[in-house]
PDB file of all heavy atoms in Angstrom:
ATOM      1  N   ARG S 348      -4.049  -8.779  15.061  1.00 93.00           N
ATOM      2  CA  ARG S 348      -5.060  -7.851  15.584  1.00 93.00           C
ATOM      3  C   ARG S 348      -4.780  -6.469  15.007  1.00 93.00           C
ATOM      4  O   ARG S 348      -4.071  -5.669  15.609  1.00 93.00           O
ATOM      5  CB  ARG S 348      -5.024  -7.808  17.098  1.00 93.00           C
ATOM      6  CG  ARG S 348      -5.626  -9.032  17.719  1.00 93.00           C
ATOM      7  CD  ARG S 348      -5.974  -8.778  19.149  1.00 93.00           C
ATOM      8  NE  ARG S 348      -5.374  -9.840  19.960  1.00 93.00           N
ATOM      9  CZ  ARG S 348      -5.247  -9.786  21.253  1.00 93.00           C
ATOM     10  NH1 ARG S 348      -5.622  -8.738  21.906  1.00 93.00           N
ATOM     11  NH2 ARG S 348      -4.704 -10.788  21.900  1.00 93.00           N
ATOM     12  N   VAL S 349      -5.354  -6.228  13.860  1.00 93.00           N
ATOM     13  CA  VAL S 349      -5.080  -4.992  13.133  1.00 93.00           C
ATOM     14  C   VAL S 349      -6.036  -3.890  13.584  1.00 93.00           C
ATOM     15  O   VAL S 349      -7.250  -4.095  13.632  1.00 93.00           O
ATOM     16  CB  VAL S 349      -5.207  -5.218  11.612  1.00 93.00           C
ATOM     17  CG1 VAL S 349      -4.935  -3.938  10.847  1.00 93.00           C
ATOM     18  CG2 VAL S 349      -4.256  -6.325  11.168  1.00 93.00           C
ATOM     19  N   VAL S 350      -5.465  -2.748  13.902  1.00 95.00           N
ATOM     20  CA  VAL S 350      -6.251  -1.567  14.250  1.00 95.00           C
ATOM     21  C   VAL S 350      -6.747  -0.971  12.936  1.00 95.00           C
ATOM     22  O   VAL S 350      -5.962  -0.775  12.006  1.00 95.00           O
ATOM     23  CB  VAL S 350      -5.389  -0.543  15.021  1.00 95.00           C
ATOM     24  CG1 VAL S 350      -6.191   0.706  15.343  1.00 95.00           C
ATOM     25  CG2 VAL S 350      -4.805  -1.171  16.274  1.00 95.00           C
ATOM     26  N   CYS S 351      -8.052  -0.699  12.868  1.00 95.00           N
ATOM     27  CA  CYS S 351      -8.648  -0.190  11.633  1.00 95.00           C
ATOM     28  C   CYS S 351      -9.366   1.133  11.890  1.00 95.00           C
ATOM     29  O   CYS S 351      -9.605   1.518  13.027  1.00 95.00           O
ATOM     30  CB  CYS S 351      -9.650  -1.192  11.080  1.00 95.00           C
ATOM     31  SG  CYS S 351      -8.923  -2.789  10.663  1.00 95.00           S
ATOM     32  N   THR S 352      -9.738   1.792  10.805  1.00 96.00           N
ATOM     33  CA  THR S 352     -10.516   3.023  10.876  1.00 96.00           C
ATOM     34  C   THR S 352     -11.684   2.920   9.905  1.00 96.00           C
ATOM     35  O   THR S 352     -11.804   1.942   9.171  1.00 96.00           O
ATOM     36  CB  THR S 352      -9.635   4.252  10.574  1.00 96.00           C
ATOM     37  OG1 THR S 352     -10.390   5.446  10.835  1.00 96.00           O
ATOM     38  CG2 THR S 352      -9.157   4.273   9.139  1.00 96.00           C
ATOM     39  N   THR S 353     -12.525   3.926   9.929  1.00 97.00           N
ATOM     40  CA  THR S 353     -13.686   3.982   9.039  1.00 97.00           C
ATOM     41  C   THR S 353     -13.555   5.209   8.133  1.00 97.00           C
ATOM     42  O   THR S 353     -12.833   6.151   8.466  1.00 97.00           O
ATOM     43  CB  THR S 353     -14.994   4.099   9.834  1.00 97.00           C
ATOM     44  OG1 THR S 353     -14.978   5.318  10.586  1.00 97.00           O
ATOM     45  CG2 THR S 353     -15.170   2.909  10.773  1.00 97.00           C
ATOM     46  N   PRO S 354     -14.275   5.226   7.025  1.00 97.00           N
ATOM     47  CA  PRO S 354     -14.175   6.377   6.116  1.00 97.00           C
ATOM     48  C   PRO S 354     -14.679   7.675   6.739  1.00 97.00           C
ATOM     49  O   PRO S 354     -14.257   8.764   6.338  1.00 97.00           O
ATOM     50  CB  PRO S 354     -15.022   5.971   4.909  1.00 97.00           C
ATOM     51  CG  PRO S 354     -15.843   4.822   5.336  1.00 97.00           C
ATOM     52  CD  PRO S 354     -15.148   4.177   6.491  1.00 97.00           C
ATOM     53  N   GLY S 355     -15.550   7.587   7.731  1.00 97.00           N
ATOM     54  CA  GLY S 355     -16.099   8.791   8.349  1.00 97.00           C
ATOM     55  C   GLY S 355     -15.272   9.374   9.482  1.00 97.00           C
ATOM     56  O   GLY S 355     -15.577  10.452   9.990  1.00 97.00           O
ATOM     57  N   GLN S 356     -14.203   8.691   9.879  1.00 97.00           N
ATOM     58  CA  GLN S 356     -13.372   9.194  10.975  1.00 97.00           C
ATOM     59  C   GLN S 356     -12.561  10.388  10.507  1.00 97.00           C
ATOM     60  O   GLN S 356     -12.096  10.442   9.366  1.00 97.00           O
ATOM     61  CB  GLN S 356     -12.455   8.094  11.492  1.00 97.00           C
ATOM     62  CG  GLN S 356     -11.717   8.480  12.769  1.00 97.00           C
ATOM     63  CD  GLN S 356     -11.013   7.307  13.418  1.00 97.00           C
ATOM     64  OE1 GLN S 356     -10.379   6.512  12.747  1.00 97.00           O
ATOM     65  NE2 GLN S 356     -11.129   7.208  14.729  1.00 97.00           N
ATOM     66  N   SER S 357     -12.392  11.361  11.381  1.00 96.00           N
ATOM     67  CA  SER S 357     -11.582  12.535  11.036  1.00 96.00           C
ATOM     68  C   SER S 357     -10.099  12.159  11.023  1.00 96.00           C
ATOM     69  O   SER S 357      -9.693  11.196  11.685  1.00 96.00           O
ATOM     70  CB  SER S 357     -11.813  13.671  12.037  1.00 96.00           C
ATOM     71  OG  SER S 357     -11.222  13.361  13.288  1.00 96.00           O
ATOM     72  N   LEU S 358      -9.315  12.916  10.271  1.00 95.00           N
ATOM     73  CA  LEU S 358      -7.872  12.666  10.234  1.00 95.00           C
ATOM     74  C   LEU S 358      -7.267  12.835  11.621  1.00 95.00           C
ATOM     75  O   LEU S 358      -6.393  12.062  12.015  1.00 95.00           O
ATOM     76  CB  LEU S 358      -7.184  13.605   9.246  1.00 95.00           C
ATOM     77  CG  LEU S 358      -7.603  13.523   7.788  1.00 95.00           C
ATOM     78  CD1 LEU S 358      -6.662  14.353   6.929  1.00 95.00           C
ATOM     79  CD2 LEU S 358      -7.685  12.108   7.284  1.00 95.00           C
ATOM     80  N   GLU S 359      -7.760  13.823  12.343  1.00 94.00           N
ATOM     81  CA  GLU S 359      -7.242  14.064  13.695  1.00 94.00           C
ATOM     82  C   GLU S 359      -7.503  12.864  14.597  1.00 94.00           C
ATOM     83  O   GLU S 359      -6.606  12.405  15.316  1.00 94.00           O
ATOM     84  CB  GLU S 359      -7.901  15.314  14.288  1.00 94.00           C
ATOM     85  CG  GLU S 359      -7.398  15.672  15.663  1.00 94.00           C
ATOM     86  CD  GLU S 359      -8.053  16.940  16.184  1.00 94.00           C
ATOM     87  OE1 GLU S 359      -7.657  18.035  15.731  1.00 94.00           O
ATOM     88  OE2 GLU S 359      -8.957  16.822  17.030  1.00 94.00           O
ATOM     89  N   ASP S 360      -8.720  12.319  14.561  1.00 96.00           N
ATOM     90  CA  ASP S 360      -9.035  11.152  15.387  1.00 96.00           C
ATOM     91  C   ASP S 360      -8.240   9.922  14.951  1.00 96.00           C
ATOM     92  O   ASP S 360      -7.825   9.117  15.783  1.00 96.00           O
ATOM     93  CB  ASP S 360     -10.531  10.856  15.351  1.00 96.00           C
ATOM     94  CG  ASP S 360     -11.350  11.854  16.158  1.00 96.00           C
ATOM     95  OD1 ASP S 360     -10.767  12.577  16.993  1.00 96.00           O
ATOM     96  OD2 ASP S 360     -12.579  11.913  15.943  1.00 96.00           O
ATOM     97  N   ALA S 361      -8.023   9.789  13.648  1.00 97.00           N
ATOM     98  CA  ALA S 361      -7.217   8.674  13.146  1.00 97.00           C
ATOM     99  C   ALA S 361      -5.775   8.799  13.635  1.00 97.00           C
ATOM    100  O   ALA S 361      -5.153   7.804  14.023  1.00 97.00           O
ATOM    101  CB  ALA S 361      -7.266   8.615  11.631  1.00 97.00           C
ATOM    102  N   MET S 362      -5.263  10.022  13.660  1.00 95.00           N
ATOM    103  CA  MET S 362      -3.898  10.236  14.129  1.00 95.00           C
ATOM    104  C   MET S 362      -3.797   9.932  15.622  1.00 95.00           C
ATOM    105  O   MET S 362      -2.819   9.326  16.072  1.00 95.00           O
ATOM    106  CB  MET S 362      -3.444  11.663  13.842  1.00 95.00           C
ATOM    107  CG  MET S 362      -1.975  11.877  14.136  1.00 95.00           C
ATOM    108  SD  MET S 362      -1.375  13.484  13.621  1.00 95.00           S
ATOM    109  CE  MET S 362      -1.153  13.192  11.892  1.00 95.00           C
ATOM    110  N   ILE S 363      -4.798  10.316  16.379  1.00 96.00           N
ATOM    111  CA  ILE S 363      -4.826  10.004  17.810  1.00 96.00           C
ATOM    112  C   ILE S 363      -4.847   8.492  18.010  1.00 96.00           C
ATOM    113  O   ILE S 363      -4.105   7.950  18.830  1.00 96.00           O
ATOM    114  CB  ILE S 363      -6.035  10.683  18.501  1.00 96.00           C
ATOM    115  CG1 ILE S 363      -5.821  12.200  18.555  1.00 96.00           C
ATOM    116  CG2 ILE S 363      -6.271  10.111  19.897  1.00 96.00           C
ATOM    117  CD1 ILE S 363      -7.063  12.989  18.943  1.00 96.00           C
ATOM    118  N   LEU S 364      -5.687   7.805  17.246  1.00 96.00           N
ATOM    119  CA  LEU S 364      -5.775   6.346  17.319  1.00 96.00           C
ATOM    120  C   LEU S 364      -4.426   5.698  17.011  1.00 96.00           C
ATOM    121  O   LEU S 364      -3.969   4.806  17.732  1.00 96.00           O
ATOM    122  CB  LEU S 364      -6.843   5.839  16.341  1.00 96.00           C
ATOM    123  CG  LEU S 364      -7.027   4.330  16.227  1.00 96.00           C
ATOM    124  CD1 LEU S 364      -7.512   3.732  17.544  1.00 96.00           C
ATOM    125  CD2 LEU S 364      -8.003   4.015  15.097  1.00 96.00           C
ATOM    126  N   MET S 365      -3.771   6.165  15.958  1.00 96.00           N
ATOM    127  CA  MET S 365      -2.474   5.603  15.579  1.00 96.00           C
ATOM    128  C   MET S 365      -1.437   5.830  16.674  1.00 96.00           C
ATOM    129  O   MET S 365      -0.628   4.944  16.966  1.00 96.00           O
ATOM    130  CB  MET S 365      -1.995   6.212  14.261  1.00 96.00           C
ATOM    131  CG  MET S 365      -2.827   5.783  13.068  1.00 96.00           C
ATOM    132  SD  MET S 365      -2.329   6.626  11.571  1.00 96.00           S
ATOM    133  CE  MET S 365      -1.361   5.340  10.810  1.00 96.00           C
ATOM    134  N   THR S 366      -1.471   7.006  17.270  1.00 95.00           N
ATOM    135  CA  THR S 366      -0.526   7.329  18.341  1.00 95.00           C
ATOM    136  C   THR S 366      -0.779   6.463  19.569  1.00 95.00           C
ATOM    137  O   THR S 366       0.158   5.899  20.142  1.00 95.00           O
ATOM    138  CB  THR S 366      -0.621   8.824  18.705  1.00 95.00           C
ATOM    139  OG1 THR S 366      -0.360   9.602  17.529  1.00 95.00           O
ATOM    140  CG2 THR S 366       0.365   9.196  19.793  1.00 95.00           C
ATOM    141  N   GLU S 367      -2.042   6.344  19.965  1.00 96.00           N
ATOM    142  CA  GLU S 367      -2.377   5.548  21.150  1.00 96.00           C
ATOM    143  C   GLU S 367      -2.058   4.069  20.961  1.00 96.00           C
ATOM    144  O   GLU S 367      -1.584   3.408  21.872  1.00 96.00           O
ATOM    145  CB  GLU S 367      -3.860   5.706  21.486  1.00 96.00           C
ATOM    146  CG  GLU S 367      -4.204   7.053  22.081  1.00 96.00           C
ATOM    147  CD  GLU S 367      -5.707   7.227  22.297  1.00 96.00           C
ATOM    148  OE1 GLU S 367      -6.505   6.371  21.853  1.00 96.00           O
ATOM    149  OE2 GLU S 367      -6.069   8.253  22.907  1.00 96.00           O
ATOM    150  N   LYS S 368      -2.324   3.546  19.773  1.00 95.00           N
ATOM    151  CA  LYS S 368      -2.111   2.124  19.505  1.00 95.00           C
ATOM    152  C   LYS S 368      -0.713   1.822  18.971  1.00 95.00           C
ATOM    153  O   LYS S 368      -0.371   0.660  18.756  1.00 95.00           O
ATOM    154  CB  LYS S 368      -3.154   1.602  18.507  1.00 95.00           C
ATOM    155  CG  LYS S 368      -4.583   1.741  18.989  1.00 95.00           C
ATOM    156  CD  LYS S 368      -4.843   0.880  20.199  1.00 95.00           C
ATOM    157  CE  LYS S 368      -6.298   0.956  20.611  1.00 95.00           C
ATOM    158  NZ  LYS S 368      -6.601   0.126  21.748  1.00 95.00           N
ATOM    159  N   ARG S 369       0.060   2.878  18.743  1.00 94.00           N
ATOM    160  CA  ARG S 369       1.440   2.753  18.271  1.00 94.00           C
ATOM    161  C   ARG S 369       1.538   1.965  16.957  1.00 94.00           C
ATOM    162  O   ARG S 369       2.306   1.014  16.837  1.00 94.00           O
ATOM    163  CB  ARG S 369       2.319   2.135  19.354  1.00 94.00           C
ATOM    164  CG  ARG S 369       2.334   2.959  20.627  1.00 94.00           C
ATOM    165  CD  ARG S 369       3.180   2.335  21.696  1.00 94.00           C
ATOM    166  NE  ARG S 369       4.554   2.190  21.270  1.00 94.00           N
ATOM    167  CZ  ARG S 369       5.566   2.991  21.615  1.00 94.00           C
ATOM    168  NH1 ARG S 369       5.334   3.995  22.418  1.00 94.00           N
ATOM    169  NH2 ARG S 369       6.778   2.755  21.170  1.00 94.00           N
ATOM    170  N   VAL S 370       0.700   2.385  15.988  1.00 94.00           N
ATOM    171  CA  VAL S 370       0.714   1.779  14.661  1.00 94.00           C
ATOM    172  C   VAL S 370       0.982   2.863  13.614  1.00 94.00           C
ATOM    173  O   VAL S 370       0.753   4.041  13.860  1.00 94.00           O
ATOM    174  CB  VAL S 370      -0.610   1.041  14.331  1.00 94.00           C
ATOM    175  CG1 VAL S 370      -0.824  -0.115  15.300  1.00 94.00           C
ATOM    176  CG2 VAL S 370      -1.806   1.974  14.343  1.00 94.00           C
ATOM    177  N   ARG S 371       1.448   2.433  12.467  1.00 94.00           N
ATOM    178  CA  ARG S 371       1.780   3.368  11.394  1.00 94.00           C
ATOM    179  C   ARG S 371       0.876   3.235  10.181  1.00 94.00           C
ATOM    180  O   ARG S 371       0.946   4.036   9.261  1.00 94.00           O
ATOM    181  CB  ARG S 371       3.223   3.158  10.958  1.00 94.00           C
ATOM    182  CG  ARG S 371       4.217   3.465  12.046  1.00 94.00           C
ATOM    183  CD  ARG S 371       5.617   3.205  11.585  1.00 94.00           C
ATOM    184  NE  ARG S 371       6.548   3.455  12.667  1.00 94.00           N
ATOM    185  CZ  ARG S 371       7.838   3.287  12.557  1.00 94.00           C
ATOM    186  NH1 ARG S 371       8.362   2.849  11.443  1.00 94.00           N
ATOM    187  NH2 ARG S 371       8.627   3.536  13.577  1.00 94.00           N
ATOM    188  N   HIS S 372       0.038   2.193  10.182  1.00 95.00           N
ATOM    189  CA  HIS S 372      -0.849   1.941   9.041  1.00 95.00           C
ATOM    190  C   HIS S 372      -2.236   1.553   9.541  1.00 95.00           C
ATOM    191  O   HIS S 372      -2.352   0.746  10.462  1.00 95.00           O
ATOM    192  CB  HIS S 372      -0.294   0.814   8.162  1.00 95.00           C
ATOM    193  CG  HIS S 372       1.064   1.102   7.647  1.00 95.00           C
ATOM    194  ND1 HIS S 372       2.212   0.766   8.345  1.00 95.00           N
ATOM    195  CD2 HIS S 372       1.477   1.712   6.516  1.00 95.00           C
ATOM    196  CE1 HIS S 372       3.267   1.162   7.662  1.00 95.00           C
ATOM    197  NE2 HIS S 372       2.857   1.729   6.550  1.00 95.00           N
ATOM    198  N   LEU S 373      -3.262   2.121   8.897  1.00 95.00           N
ATOM    199  CA  LEU S 373      -4.639   1.812   9.257  1.00 95.00           C
ATOM    200  C   LEU S 373      -5.424   1.380   8.025  1.00 95.00           C
ATOM    201  O   LEU S 373      -5.633   2.186   7.105  1.00 95.00           O
ATOM    202  CB  LEU S 373      -5.348   3.050   9.830  1.00 95.00           C
ATOM    203  CG  LEU S 373      -5.027   3.549  11.216  1.00 95.00           C
ATOM    204  CD1 LEU S 373      -5.788   4.843  11.507  1.00 95.00           C
ATOM    205  CD2 LEU S 373      -5.351   2.499  12.253  1.00 95.00           C
ATOM    206  N   PRO S 374      -5.883   0.146   7.979  1.00 95.00           N
ATOM    207  CA  PRO S 374      -6.822  -0.219   6.926  1.00 95.00           C
ATOM    208  C   PRO S 374      -8.134   0.539   7.159  1.00 95.00           C
ATOM    209  O   PRO S 374      -8.534   0.762   8.305  1.00 95.00           O
ATOM    210  CB  PRO S 374      -7.028  -1.717   7.129  1.00 95.00           C
ATOM    211  CG  PRO S 374      -5.831  -2.167   7.908  1.00 95.00           C
ATOM    212  CD  PRO S 374      -5.474  -1.006   8.780  1.00 95.00           C
ATOM    213  N   VAL S 375      -8.764   0.929   6.087  1.00 96.00           N
ATOM    214  CA  VAL S 375     -10.041   1.634   6.162  1.00 96.00           C
ATOM    215  C   VAL S 375     -11.129   0.636   5.778  1.00 96.00           C
ATOM    216  O   VAL S 375     -11.128   0.109   4.667  1.00 96.00           O
ATOM    217  CB  VAL S 375     -10.071   2.846   5.213  1.00 96.00           C
ATOM    218  CG1 VAL S 375     -11.392   3.591   5.337  1.00 96.00           C
ATOM    219  CG2 VAL S 375      -8.890   3.778   5.476  1.00 96.00           C
ATOM    220  N   LEU S 376     -12.036   0.363   6.729  1.00 93.00           N
ATOM    221  CA  LEU S 376     -13.096  -0.616   6.510  1.00 93.00           C
ATOM    222  C   LEU S 376     -14.463   0.043   6.595  1.00 93.00           C
ATOM    223  O   LEU S 376     -14.683   0.937   7.416  1.00 93.00           O
ATOM    224  CB  LEU S 376     -13.031  -1.733   7.556  1.00 93.00           C
ATOM    225  CG  LEU S 376     -11.758  -2.548   7.655  1.00 93.00           C
ATOM    226  CD1 LEU S 376     -11.868  -3.569   8.777  1.00 93.00           C
ATOM    227  CD2 LEU S 376     -11.452  -3.243   6.353  1.00 93.00           C
ATOM    228  N   ASP S 377     -15.360  -0.427   5.753  1.00 93.00           N
ATOM    229  CA  ASP S 377     -16.749  -0.008   5.813  1.00 93.00           C
ATOM    230  C   ASP S 377     -17.596  -1.269   5.684  1.00 93.00           C
ATOM    231  O   ASP S 377     -17.571  -1.920   4.643  1.00 93.00           O
ATOM    232  CB  ASP S 377     -17.073   0.978   4.695  1.00 93.00           C
ATOM    233  CG  ASP S 377     -18.460   1.584   4.835  1.00 93.00           C
ATOM    234  OD1 ASP S 377     -18.987   1.609   5.969  1.00 93.00           O
ATOM    235  OD2 ASP S 377     -19.011   2.031   3.820  1.00 93.00           O
ATOM    236  N   ASP S 378     -18.277  -1.619   6.752  1.00 89.00           N
ATOM    237  CA  ASP S 378     -19.096  -2.838   6.769  1.00 89.00           C
ATOM    238  C   ASP S 378     -18.282  -4.081   6.423  1.00 89.00           C
ATOM    239  O   ASP S 378     -18.726  -4.938   5.663  1.00 89.00           O
ATOM    240  CB  ASP S 378     -20.258  -2.688   5.799  1.00 89.00           C
ATOM    241  CG  ASP S 378     -21.598  -2.913   6.471  1.00 89.00           C
ATOM    242  OD1 ASP S 378     -21.620  -3.104   7.703  1.00 89.00           O
ATOM    243  OD2 ASP S 378     -22.607  -2.918   5.752  1.00 89.00           O
ATOM    244  N   GLY S 379     -17.046  -4.143   6.934  1.00 83.00           N
ATOM    245  CA  GLY S 379     -16.173  -5.284   6.693  1.00 83.00           C
ATOM    246  C   GLY S 379     -15.442  -5.264   5.368  1.00 83.00           C
ATOM    247  O   GLY S 379     -14.571  -6.093   5.127  1.00 83.00           O
ATOM    248  N   GLN S 380     -15.777  -4.322   4.495  1.00 89.00           N
ATOM    249  CA  GLN S 380     -15.124  -4.223   3.186  1.00 89.00           C
ATOM    250  C   GLN S 380     -13.938  -3.267   3.270  1.00 89.00           C
ATOM    251  O   GLN S 380     -14.056  -2.165   3.803  1.00 89.00           O
ATOM    252  CB  GLN S 380     -16.104  -3.731   2.131  1.00 89.00           C
ATOM    253  CG  GLN S 380     -15.494  -3.630   0.757  1.00 89.00           C
ATOM    254  CD  GLN S 380     -16.487  -3.107  -0.272  1.00 89.00           C
ATOM    255  OE1 GLN S 380     -17.637  -2.826   0.022  1.00 89.00           O
ATOM    256  NE2 GLN S 380     -16.020  -2.950  -1.487  1.00 89.00           N
ATOM    257  N   VAL S 381     -12.797  -3.687   2.731  1.00 92.00           N
ATOM    258  CA  VAL S 381     -11.598  -2.850   2.732  1.00 92.00           C
ATOM    259  C   VAL S 381     -11.736  -1.773   1.653  1.00 92.00           C
ATOM    260  O   VAL S 381     -11.908  -2.080   0.474  1.00 92.00           O
ATOM    261  CB  VAL S 381     -10.329  -3.689   2.467  1.00 92.00           C
ATOM    262  CG1 VAL S 381      -9.105  -2.788   2.412  1.00 92.00           C
ATOM    263  CG2 VAL S 381     -10.163  -4.763   3.517  1.00 92.00           C
ATOM    264  N   LEU S 382     -11.669  -0.512   2.071  1.00 94.00           N
ATOM    265  CA  LEU S 382     -11.772   0.608   1.139  1.00 94.00           C
ATOM    266  C   LEU S 382     -10.406   1.203   0.793  1.00 94.00           C
ATOM    267  O   LEU S 382     -10.268   1.871  -0.222  1.00 94.00           O
ATOM    268  CB  LEU S 382     -12.644   1.720   1.730  1.00 94.00           C
ATOM    269  CG  LEU S 382     -14.080   1.365   2.080  1.00 94.00           C
ATOM    270  CD1 LEU S 382     -14.793   2.594   2.619  1.00 94.00           C
ATOM    271  CD2 LEU S 382     -14.807   0.797   0.882  1.00 94.00           C
ATOM    272  N   GLY S 383      -9.437   0.970   1.658  1.00 94.00           N
ATOM    273  CA  GLY S 383      -8.114   1.539   1.431  1.00 94.00           C
ATOM    274  C   GLY S 383      -7.225   1.320   2.638  1.00 94.00           C
ATOM    275  O   GLY S 383      -7.597   0.626   3.585  1.00 94.00           O
ATOM    276  N   LEU S 384      -6.067   1.949   2.589  1.00 95.00           N
ATOM    277  CA  LEU S 384      -5.091   1.862   3.667  1.00 95.00           C
ATOM    278  C   LEU S 384      -4.422   3.222   3.777  1.00 95.00           C
ATOM    279  O   LEU S 384      -4.002   3.781   2.760  1.00 95.00           O
ATOM    280  CB  LEU S 384      -4.050   0.785   3.350  1.00 95.00           C
ATOM    281  CG  LEU S 384      -2.983   0.499   4.384  1.00 95.00           C
ATOM    282  CD1 LEU S 384      -3.574  -0.265   5.570  1.00 95.00           C
ATOM    283  CD2 LEU S 384      -1.850  -0.319   3.776  1.00 95.00           C
ATOM    284  N   VAL S 385      -4.369   3.779   4.978  1.00 96.00           N
ATOM    285  CA  VAL S 385      -3.703   5.059   5.182  1.00 96.00           C
ATOM    286  C   VAL S 385      -2.527   4.887   6.125  1.00 96.00           C
ATOM    287  O   VAL S 385      -2.571   4.064   7.044  1.00 96.00           O
ATOM    288  CB  VAL S 385      -4.666   6.157   5.698  1.00 96.00           C
ATOM    289  CG1 VAL S 385      -5.735   6.478   4.668  1.00 96.00           C
ATOM    290  CG2 VAL S 385      -5.311   5.778   7.015  1.00 96.00           C
ATOM    291  N   SER S 386      -1.496   5.661   5.883  1.00 94.00           N
ATOM    292  CA  SER S 386      -0.301   5.621   6.733  1.00 94.00           C
ATOM    293  C   SER S 386      -0.218   6.900   7.538  1.00 94.00           C
ATOM    294  O   SER S 386      -0.889   7.896   7.235  1.00 94.00           O
ATOM    295  CB  SER S 386       0.951   5.469   5.877  1.00 94.00           C
ATOM    296  OG  SER S 386       1.190   6.667   5.155  1.00 94.00           O
ATOM    297  N   ILE S 387       0.628   6.884   8.538  1.00 94.00           N
ATOM    298  CA  ILE S 387       0.850   8.091   9.331  1.00 94.00           C
ATOM    299  C   ILE S 387       1.377   9.208   8.432  1.00 94.00           C
ATOM    300  O   ILE S 387       1.005  10.365   8.593  1.00 94.00           O
ATOM    301  CB  ILE S 387       1.782   7.818  10.540  1.00 94.00           C
ATOM    302  CG1 ILE S 387       1.806   8.995  11.508  1.00 94.00           C
ATOM    303  CG2 ILE S 387       3.174   7.470  10.095  1.00 94.00           C
ATOM    304  CD1 ILE S 387       0.549   9.166  12.310  1.00 94.00           C
ATOM    305  N   GLY S 388       2.179   8.849   7.444  1.00 93.00           N
ATOM    306  CA  GLY S 388       2.692   9.844   6.495  1.00 93.00           C
ATOM    307  C   GLY S 388       1.578  10.477   5.685  1.00 93.00           C
ATOM    308  O   GLY S 388       1.604  11.693   5.433  1.00 93.00           O
TER     309      GLY S 388
END
């Protein structure tokens, strides 16, 4: 159950999501297509 983000999400909201879900990596999806992967770093 991977927590994901979208290309339109702000960095601040992504950081909040990562903190709340206690994850260090977020795949970036747009319409089910993988666009990239971002880390907390």
Side-chain angles (χ1 to χ4, degrees):
R348 285 198 232 165
V349 180
V350 178
C351 299
T352 188
T353 62
Q356 189 169 44
S357 71
L358 299 189
E359 182 178 283
D360 286 343
M362 188 173 280
I363 290 168
L364 177 64
M365 291 175 101
T366 302
E367 287 175 352
K368 300 295 184 179
R369 301 179 60 101
V370 297
R371 296 178 182 179
H372 302 89
L373 286 176
V375 182
L376 301 178
D377 188 23
D378 235 4
Q380 181 181 359
V381 177
L382 300 181
L384 183 73
V385 295
S386 70
I387 191 72

